[in-house]
Amino acid sequence: MIKTSHNPIRDRWLWWCVALLLGLTVWLAIHWPHGSLWYDEALTTWVATDSWQSLLRWCTQVDIQVPFHYVVLRLWTYAAGDSEFTLRLLSAFCVLLAAAGMIAAGQRLAKISGLRPHVLSLVAALLLGSLPGTLWLGYEVRAYALALALYAWATAILCVLIDPNGQRSRRGQTLLIVGYALLMIATLYTHYTAIAGLAAHIAIFGVLVIVRRSRVLLITFSAAMLLIGIGFAPWLPVLLTRSAADRSYYVGSPILPDRSIAVMLGFKLLGREDVPAAALPLVVGYGVLITLGALVALRKRRWPAALVGAMIALWPVAITAVLVYFKPKLAGRYVWPAWIGFDLLVGVCIIGLMRWQRILGAIALIALVAMPWLTGELGHPPDSDFRAAYAYLCSQGDPQDVIALRDGTLFVVNSYYGRRAPCNTERATVSLPIAEMTNVEQSLTYPIAQAAVQPLIARHPPSIWVVAWQGDVMDPQSLTYGVLDNLGKHTVIGKMFGDVRVDRYEDIAPISVEPPAAGQLMNITPVVGGPTLQSVRVIAPEVAHAGDVITVQAWWTRGEKLQPDLRVSARITTLDGGWTYAQVDQPPSSWKYVDDRWQAGVPTLGRYELRVGSDVPVGKVAIRYLLYDAAGHWPQIILKVGEVTILQSGEDHKTQ
């Protein structure tokens, strides 16, 4: 008979661990999203599921991203399928793994530091798993949750390796070193920001080697770093080809450290990429708890907890703050490695409060977990309902319809939702412009747009649908709509599914007149040597109702002199111009396509949509187009370019 010994404290702690993980599972289930994948998730899904060749090419030639998450997701879909639920399930499972890793790390670190191990491990794991930022990562089909899980377990093994009281055989020590190295290599191959997490671990090892003067620890550190270096070295040539200029966003002013730190903390607490004024007290309070945790841990032999927590918290934050100052693109999730350090330090602070006043520590913990949910300031992923958009166009359209993607990067969304019910099979598509990655320096031009739609005319499709998401980045002139306005009737105008726009053009016919020549000829040059207004065209129903859209097209050519202050205003007014019902004011083409980007000799489109409001009375209204200088250097030019009859809602009307 084998006798087993029971340790009531240990058994009770194990049950608490199980209860915590089950609670986090329920927490994830309660907040499980029911919305569509947004663009970045669809891109991740496409890279992971298209083909091994596509995955390799994307990671090494197109986006230069580390591939481990794509590989894991691909293997996952082999077993579980690629539905929205199963895709998100992998990230949710990784959050639970991360919480379990935090339990293991907190347990060992507390023992090293003379703290209450069960309390620190459970508090840190609760904070990591329950706050809104982690919840966001837990249902998003991206690499962050997997990276967090891998890093949490690497940190747990790190805490074992730095334990001076650990008694292990040489074989056991070797297995730990190899296990740590493999986890860190996997983390580095999951997301580039893991480099900051590795820097924190190097700092921890370095300080301890110096303080303890331990030959064993030095050998352990050297062996682990050697293995990590060997494991990541094959990827370095690919990494070095990654362009320093990210063309997927518009470069702005440097992001100052105070702002970037607030965003980093704010995302973990609220799941937001900005920090509203109402959230600042929560962010400040969280920062105070982190600082107090570090100060509490510095007492006596608790300093290893301060060292591990502070290094893991500070290095990712500091590195990210420096990078975004010079390369101003920031997402709060970039510092996910620091979350391990944040929560360990806050856990130490909670323990300190409990030693002083148990009820005070409990109140602080409950408040920290509950307050983000009570602020009403929680963030959420982009409201991009591609699922509903494709369900609408497929249920309302015909399999022979053509889909115009504004812009071509939406091919990943089309690949996913275009094959699912009610679409079932992908419709023919055209990309305006053709692109695999967003490039703010690549803009759709009139000749390219014209050439792209010619094959559509030859197909004689029943309808052409336009799906757009952030389409003004690479099609700032709205040429997709501008060219299609001349091919057919615009029967569905700007139907929105969150921030996804769907339009429909029917009765497709060959172009009889080139669009720049289809309107009223103007040939007006407001400033000598500046841009010239070639023509203006009004596209509207013969009779309009509240809710209808009147479109104004203006075609310009670049002048010899740039006019950055040139502005235009398209308006619905009374016939005498005394009252304006709707207006759009902007540079002639768009804010993202001022005349320094115009191409000489190529027509530039300004397209303005004016929606008829319920305040517009029955009768005739005028459509006016105004030219003016933002600095007031010359008098405005007012052009009356059309009239439209407004009827009450419900009366018959047809589109011109």
Side-chain angles (χ1 to χ4, degrees), residues 406 444 471-472 474-485 501 505 553 589-590 605-609:
R406 182 177 181 253
L444 183 66
D472 59 338
M474 297 182 70
D475 179 19
Q477 302 178 66
S478 296
L479 279 165
T480 299
Y481 307 113
V483 172
L484 293 177
D485 284 338
R501 171 170 169 159
Y505 290 87
Q553 283 191 8
S589 181
S590 74
L605 172 64
R607 187 176 183 276
Y608 327 95
E609 292 183 349

Side-chain angles (χ1 to χ4, degrees), residues 594-606:
V594 293
D595 60 347
D596 65 328
R597 298 186 65 191
W598 298 4
Q599 295 183 2
V602 176
T604 298
L605 172 64

Side-chain angles (χ1 to χ4, degrees), residues 4-15 111 118:
T4 58
S5 61
H6 295 280
N7 183 327
I9 297 177
R10 183 194 62 190
D11 293 346
R12 192 182 311 122
W13 174 71
L14 290 175
W15 279 113
K111 288 181 178 179
H118 303 331

